[in-house]
Amino acid sequence: MKVTFKIWRQENTDAQGELKAYEVDGLSEDMSFLEALDHLNEILVLKDEKVIAFEHDCREGICGQCGVFINGRAHGPHNNTTTCQLHMRSFKEGDTIVVEPWRASSFPIVKDLVVDRSAFDRIIQQGGYITAKTGTAAEANAILVSKEVSDSAMDAAACIGCGACVATCKNASAALFTAAKINHLNKLPQGQPEAHRRLLDMTAQMEFENFGSCTFTGACEIECPADISISNIAEMNARYVKAKLFG
Amino acid sequence: MKLNAKIPEGKLEDKWKNYQAKSHLINPANKKKLKIIVVGSGLAGAGAAATLAELGYEVQCFCYQDSARRAHSVAAQGGINAAKNYQHDGDSVWRMFHDTLKGGDFRSREANTYRLAELSAPLIDHFVQQGVPFAREYGGVLANRSFGGVQVQRTFYARGQTGQQLLLAAYSQLYKMVRAKKVEMLPRHEVLDIVIIDGKAKGVISRNLAKGEIKRFAADAVVLATGGYSRVFRLSTLAIGCNGSAIWKAHKRGAYFAAPSFTQIHPTALPQTSEAQSKLTLMSESLRNDGRIWVPKKKGDKRKAIDIPEAERDYYLERRYPSYGNLAPRDIASRAAKERIDAGHGVGQFKNAVYLDFKHAIQKLGKKVVEDRYGNLFNMYEKITGINAYEEPMKISPAAHFSMGGLWVDYELMTTIPGLYAIGECNYSDHGANRLGANSLLQTSIDGYFILPNTINNYLEGELKAKQYGIDHPEFSKVEDEVREQIKKLLEVNGTRTVDDFHRELGKVMWQECAMSRNRKGLENAIGEIKHIKNEFWKHVKVTGSDNEMNPELEKALRLADFIELAELMCLDALQRDESCGAHFREEYQSEEGEAMRNDEDFAYVSAWEYNAGNFVLHKEKLMFEYVQPTVRSYK
């Protein structure tokens, strides 16, 4: 299988980047998209060129490290999947495939297709936890949590932190990411004591990091590999009003 | 050096309490004067870093990924064991200890394994408190499920993403302490060497992967939590970046390496489908409950699976293990698949797989029931392979998975280098020669949250009064120079072969000779081949780009250089153990029916290897069984 990749190359954060074309032969349909990039990188090494830097680690769709724009869509042509789970059989012989990094000013480019998503860590840092020290826990079954609440918390907790929601949003909003963590913890009884503080601190950090506002286009939930529903954002907003009034 | 495991006095159930009662403490005002480096941010690393910071220590935590949340603990699916006895089915700390010791084929310490079971229940309390959305019953209590090799239900789970949920809890707790300015998090930092001063671990040399900058970091103690090394096989269920470099460098600086050849091969992964493949994805073992495993009776049969009539199919697990059948334990199922594949009956494009067939299950139970039970797995299978497993059998294959081996540690989780600790998968502690399902999340978490924060005081108390060293100590500059020299050497080779090309070659040798079944001749050949690969690597590898920028190719090359050396030690270790136990199966030591033959008389010890200028010296820690008498694991 032969395709042409047009890939964003950029030396570092401050350098000017550009799309460069690479005609790549010897691919197979069973190769994952990232393996096709591995293959291209081996070719580049033997041609004495620098490899293309891209993010990846677990390659089974759970670590959230991979993620690029492929032909204008976050994580490629399919809904709700990660880049590592995309295979070359989704493309045709002779296709031109444009590969770009996540585009959001809150995710500055580090090199080529690699961006800096540490803004996500800083949002979590402002309250995406339960303040309790190791060793202070009571017996696990002492607090009952209904199956419905637990399942719904799990739905929100499934976020892998890849950043596709931000990258695909026309406003580069981090509302889906932030809402998922707030709702995960604020639904559970263990998260109640600091529920309001968590919500106010995390949303403040989200704004501080210059993510855009959510205008409910729903683009994020189409790309989200963890199927996080946009209803999480509505729930966060409702909780926000409550926190402001009663927090 | 004589190995001293420092097992505390007293009865088995009192040892940990006795240890805690007698170990040294440090007052809060003094704790903040002490700095601890934690390498790795998985469940062991993040759990330890957060807990140590809560106790008042100054902590620096390193990870090679862009965020602590990516660590490979995230990928564990099934669950975490705990002796809560919530199901009222006769579980207890003792039973869990016994299951784990036996599952490991009696090659771990009783005291360590007992402590693992003892601390399992409070660990579940901890994770619930941290907001882990474990599965629950309608009444609101926690749910359990059963897992391989045990007769009770003690596995706690969060859908198929238990590892992810536990890791995110640890990551959150870690970042809580980052906010409190008690932890400095250093993502995109790879630790390339350990600095030892006056025989004690005093710091690390690390490379900033985003910028290429190499820096020294000093501390009063260093904790390695770097995970498993099964990427030595190249194709494994591990993340691409998983590596053995930090523990290998520690080994070369004096830490003994225990049982490196004990690596677990998982029977149900997706097979390799191309030379360029980088990763093998695990399919849940639960599929074997209803799927039947077979290969064509005829060698090299080119027909499609659905065109091969029943009479020409060999359901080899059912044939060889009539009582366990398709549910034979992991090591047996993996070896049996390899035997058929090697005999020329493998299927698929590369003839490296066996069929896992749901035809009979669908006929008997109906498609709906099969879909309810395994729908998500069938979807995942179709996403990756493009094949609908309701219509034709899945193709599966064994894959390198977990490493029981790792740095030798005593009861305090300290290596043979004072002040250097190893926790989680990178140590050799509780699993013996084979790990039970859902015990890995448990061990890694307990090491990080509960054990290390209680044992490290015992060492650090002495460091309060000891001489303080900074990064300007000559040993720091010596080690830094060595790191720079290795990088320079790698970049200067400028050969004709890529790093991946060498890794593929190494992986093939290791997979053939040092994976599911081993024999003397094969291992001896492998050692020769590995030495040859090492030689070729340093003559012909090509790494482009420079060292003062983000350079993924250089990162890979550095990791592979260490894997090549580790591979040799794995083969040496497999060679010296003239018995079959757990995941280590030596073809010379099997019964007529192909069962593993353990030899307690001569091999009831932990092998611990010392590095001595390119040679490896074997030390033995004799294992004493006071409470459980070793028995034969039988699957018939």
Side-chain angles (χ1 to χ4, degrees):
Chain A
M1 183 179 186
K2 188 173 170 182
V3 300
T4 301
F5 283 111
K6 278 191 174 170
I7 297 177
W8 187 259
R9 302 299 307 258
Q10 182 171 335
E11 273 290 304
N12 54 54
T13 310
D14 304 321
Q16 184 70 42
E18 59 172 341
L19 278 172
K20 278 188 80 170
Y22 302 92
E23 216 171 78
V24 187
D25 205 349
L27 300 171
S28 85
E29 292 198 330
D30 286 331
M31 271 183 181
S32 74
F33 183 81
L34 296 183
E35 283 160 5
L37 291 184
D38 289 340
H39 178 75
L40 168 57
N41 273 345
E42 283 199 76
I43 295 171
L44 292 179
V45 168
L46 295 176
K47 281 164 68 181
D48 214 14
E49 288 178 39
K50 284 184 188 179
V51 296
I52 297 150
F54 62 94
E55 296 271 35
H56 63 99
D57 205 24
C58 79
R59 298 203 181 187
E60 53 184 286
I62 191 76
C63 79
Q65 182 131 344
C66 70
V68 287
F69 252 73
I70 301 164
N71 290 339
R73 278 193 68 179
H75 292 306
H78 307 297
N79 295 356
N80 308 109
T81 187
T82 54
T83 302
C84 66
Q85 300 297 85
L86 174 66
H87 287 73
M88 292 309 288
R89 71 181 78 90
S90 296
F91 301 96
K92 293 193 306 290
E93 178 76 26
D95 269 0
T96 295
I97 305 168
V98 181
V99 190
E100 300 162 273
W102 284 165
R103 280 178 294 181
S105 61
S106 303
F107 290 164
I109 291 175
V110 178
K111 183 174 186 173
D112 298 339
L113 303 171
V114 176
V115 299
D116 176 0
R117 286 167 291 192
S118 55
F120 272 8
D121 291 331
R122 291 189 293 273
I123 291 174
I124 296 294
Q125 195 177 311
Q126 291 307 310
Y129 49 76
I130 286 166
T131 306
K133 287 183 186 175
T134 301
T136 59
E139 155 59 37
N141 266 346
I143 300 173
L144 300 178
V145 183
S146 79
K147 185 169 160 39
E148 291 79 3
V149 167
S150 182
D151 283 352
S152 151
M154 180 64 218
D155 287 341
C159 167
I160 62 172
C162 66
C165 50
V166 173
T168 200
C169 174
K170 69 187 173 72
N171 307 322
S173 163
L176 193 68
F177 169 83
T178 311
K181 185 47 69 181
I182 289 172
N183 293 338
H184 157 213
L185 295 174
N186 284 13
K187 278 176 206 282
L188 293 170
Q190 289 83 1
Q192 289 314 306
E194 50 195 337
H196 289 170
R197 198 161 68 128
R198 170 179 303 117
L199 193 143
L200 297 175
D201 286 359
M202 286 178 72
T203 48
Q205 187 68 26
M206 177 181 85
E207 283 172 21
F208 177 80
E209 298 286 349
N210 265 325
F211 288 105
S213 299
C214 170
T215 49
F216 281 97
T217 67
C220 51
E221 72 169 4
I222 292 168
E223 305 297 11
C224 176
D227 289 304
I228 308 289
S229 158
I230 194 177
S231 63
N232 275 285
I233 301 177
E235 187 177 331
M236 172 175 73
N237 289 347
R239 287 178 189 277
Y240 185 85
V241 173
K242 205 173 146 200
K244 277 285 183 194
L245 290 175
F246 309 109
Chain B
M1 188 210 265
K2 181 143 173 43
L3 290 167
N4 179 5
K6 295 193 235 161
I7 306 294
E9 296 285 302
K11 285 192 290 184
L12 194 55
E13 55 271 35
D14 297 329
K15 286 181 188 295
W16 179 237
K17 290 183 203 88
N18 290 346
Y19 174 84
Q20 286 177 292
K22 287 179 187 165
S23 77
H24 294 291
L25 297 176
I26 299 174
N27 86 46
N30 279 335
K31 279 199 185 109
K32 61 185 177 205
K33 294 180 197 159
L34 293 162
K35 190 161 157 189
I36 302 167
I37 281 174
V38 178
V39 186
S41 68
L43 271 167
T51 306
L52 291 168
E54 286 170 358
L55 288 167
Y57 294 109
E58 292 295 321
V59 178
Q60 278 179 319
C61 182
F62 294 73
C63 72
Y64 71 79
Q65 299 92 340
D66 76 325
S67 163
R69 68 180 294 152
R70 317 284 184 211
H72 200 54
S73 305
V74 82
Q77 300 168 359
I80 179 165
N81 289 331
K84 280 282 197 188
N85 193 25
Y86 281 165
Q87 304 306 319
H88 199 56
D89 55 2
D91 200 6
S92 65
V93 170
W94 176 267
R95 208 175 277 278
M96 184 169 171
F97 150 70
H98 190 275
D99 286 344
T100 304
L101 195 73
K102 188 179 165 193
D105 222 354
F106 301 95
R107 290 294 173 264
S108 59
R109 286 182 206 130
E110 284 183 328
N112 280 59
T113 307
Y114 189 88
R115 180 175 59 182
L116 180 81
E118 185 183 356
L119 296 178
S120 64
L123 185 70
I124 298 303
D125 302 340
H126 170 76
F127 279 129
V128 167
Q129 184 189 40
Q130 294 294 327
V132 171
F134 282 120
R136 293 195 178 250
E137 307 291 353
Y138 281 106
V141 295
L142 289 155
N144 291 114
R145 62 182 169 201
S146 38
F147 233 75
V150 295
Q151 290 163 308
V152 294
Q153 292 190 306
R154 66 163 74 103
T155 307
F156 295 77
Y157 60 101
R159 295 203 185 132
Q161 293 135 276
T162 316
Q164 182 206 23
Q165 291 309 310
L166 301 191
L167 180 74
L168 292 181
Y171 154 81
S172 299
Q173 205 181 341
L174 177 65
Y175 273 79
K176 176 190 80 182
M177 296 317 290
V178 171
R179 184 187 195 183
K181 297 199 168 31
K182 291 298 288 177
V183 174
E184 185 191 356
M185 189 65 217
L186 293 134
R188 296 198 202 276
H189 273 72
E190 184 143 21
V191 167
L192 296 179
D193 216 331
I194 319 292
V195 180
I196 318 286
I197 302 174
D198 292 346
K200 296 181 201 166
K202 286 291 170 189
V204 300
I205 305 295
S206 169
R207 182 167 179 270
N208 177 333
L209 301 181
K211 296 183 176 134
E213 183 193 18
I214 289 168
K215 266 179 79 175
R216 309 168 187 184
F217 296 86
D220 297 287
V222 176
V223 180
L224 301 181
T226 57
Y229 52 81
S230 284
R231 272 282 287 170
V232 71
F233 295 99
R234 180 172 158 86
L235 285 175
S236 78
T237 61
L238 271 63
I240 304 301
C242 288
N243 67 82
S245 286
I247 55 169
W248 190 250
K249 287 292 162 43
H251 172 60
K252 290 175 86 171
R253 302 241 169 240
Y256 289 9
F257 207 118
S261 69
F262 288 173
T263 51
Q264 187 176 67
I265 310 298
H266 200 289
T268 56
L270 300 184
Q272 183 181 8
T273 53
S274 83
E275 265 297 300
Q277 190 149 339
S278 55
K279 153 97 191 181
L280 298 171
T281 302
L282 203 66
M283 295 296 285
S284 172
E285 218 169 64
S286 64
L287 289 168
R288 289 200 279 145
N289 279 303
D290 289 306
R292 293 180 70 194
I293 293 176
W294 63 276
V295 290
K297 279 187 179 164
K298 202 173 97 191
K299 274 190 199 181
D301 199 325
K302 291 212 170 57
R303 286 173 293 178
K304 279 185 170 175
I306 45 170
D307 296 334
I308 299 177
E310 280 297 323
E312 293 177 45
R313 297 176 174 198
D314 176 14
Y315 293 90
Y316 59 89
L317 280 177
E318 297 169 24
R319 170 170 60 80
R320 288 181 63 182
Y321 304 99
S323 59
Y324 272 71
N326 294 295
L327 280 172
R330 280 183 188 181
D331 48 350
I332 290 283
S334 293
R335 271 199 293 278
K338 177 180 159 58
E339 191 275 329
R340 285 291 83 193
I341 291 167
D342 287 351
H345 297 269
V347 299
Q349 190 191 349
F350 283 73
K351 305 283 170 218
N352 60 351
V354 298
Y355 289 124
L356 176 60
D357 202 336
F358 289 85
K359 186 178 84 177
H360 299 97
I362 292 169
Q363 280 167 2
K364 202 170 86 187
L365 306 165
K367 191 180 164 190
K368 177 81 180 65
V369 174
V370 172
E371 202 175 332
D372 281 349
R373 287 186 191 167
Y374 308 110
N376 59 334
L377 294 166
F378 278 56
N379 287 344
M380 180 167 124
Y381 184 78
E382 187 163 9
K383 217 178 209 178
I384 296 172
T385 64
I387 293 167
N388 179 347
Y390 296 104
E391 280 160 21
E392 58 177 292
M394 289 184 178
K395 293 190 225 25
I396 55 152
S397 193
H401 185 50
F402 185 86
S403 34
M404 282 75 71
L407 291 182
W408 184 91
V409 289
D410 60 21
Y411 191 75
E412 298 185 304
L413 306 182
M414 186 149 85
T415 67
T416 52
I417 298 174
L420 182 70
Y421 293 79
I423 60 175
E425 192 176 346
C426 77
N427 71 17
Y428 179 79
S429 59
D430 306 337
H431 305 300
N434 179 52
R435 176 179 64 73
L436 287 185
N439 262 0
S440 64
L441 289 176
L442 174 68
Q443 181 241 336
T444 191
S445 303
I446 281 184
D447 280 6
Y449 281 111
F450 292 160
I451 303 176
L452 180 89
N454 273 297
T455 60
I456 203 166
N457 310 328
N458 212 24
Y459 168 80
L460 285 174
E461 196 260 350
E463 291 312 282
L464 268 175
K465 297 159 216 152
K467 203 170 160 225
Q468 300 293 307
Y469 302 104
I471 53 167
D472 42 4
H473 188 280
E475 197 56 31
F476 269 98
S477 68
K478 186 180 148 250
V479 178
E480 185 189 324
D481 287 349
E482 286 171 23
V483 166
R484 288 183 186 279
E485 183 56 34
Q486 194 194 19
I487 292 174
K488 187 163 160 264
K489 238 174 94 185
L490 260 178
L491 291 170
E492 279 174 2
V493 178
N494 199 18
T496 51
R497 289 178 62 188
T498 62
V499 177
D500 283 346
D501 196 25
F502 281 107
H503 203 164
R504 281 190 286 268
E505 191 183 350
L506 178 73
K508 274 181 197 154
V509 172
M510 291 302 285
W511 185 245
Q512 196 55 41
E513 305 298 351
C514 198
M516 281 165 284
S517 81
R518 298 123 182 225
N519 63 64
R520 175 162 294 276
K521 190 163 162 284
L523 288 165
E524 283 170 353
N525 285 343
I527 291 169
E529 286 184 56
I530 292 163
K531 285 184 167 153
H532 177 71
I533 293 170
K534 183 177 173 181
N535 210 6
E536 291 288 299
F537 177 80
W538 286 98
K539 267 196 218 148
H540 299 298
V541 73
K542 187 171 178 73
V543 179
T544 54
S546 70
D547 61 337
N548 56 12
E549 61 181 329
M550 176 178 265
N551 188 345
E553 205 61 18
L554 176 63
E555 294 164 28
K556 278 198 292 195
L558 286 164
R559 291 168 191 158
L560 183 62
D562 294 328
F563 274 140
I564 295 172
E565 296 182 8
L566 168 61
E568 185 187 341
L569 185 60
M570 288 171 69
C571 293
L572 277 173
D573 188 56
L575 197 54
Q576 63 83 28
R577 192 168 279 278
D578 289 325
E579 65 159 349
S580 294
C581 64
H584 170 68
F585 187 80
R586 277 280 300 272
E587 288 158 15
E588 300 94 321
Y589 305 98
Q590 56 179 312
S591 66
E592 277 173 27
E593 302 87 46
E595 297 288 350
M597 282 170 67
R598 208 177 63 214
N599 175 352
D600 290 332
E601 190 128 324
D602 301 314
F603 293 95
Y605 62 78
V606 176
S607 57
W609 296 88
E610 179 188 3
Y611 184 84
N612 188 351
N615 293 311
F616 303 100
V617 185
L618 176 64
H619 300 263
K620 296 172 183 176
E621 182 204 337
K622 184 97 186 116
L623 292 167
M624 312 299 272
F625 296 97
E626 287 179 63
Y627 297 90
V628 180
Q629 281 315 302
T631 50
V632 176
R633 280 167 86 213
S634 173
Y635 315 115
K636 291 269 169 185

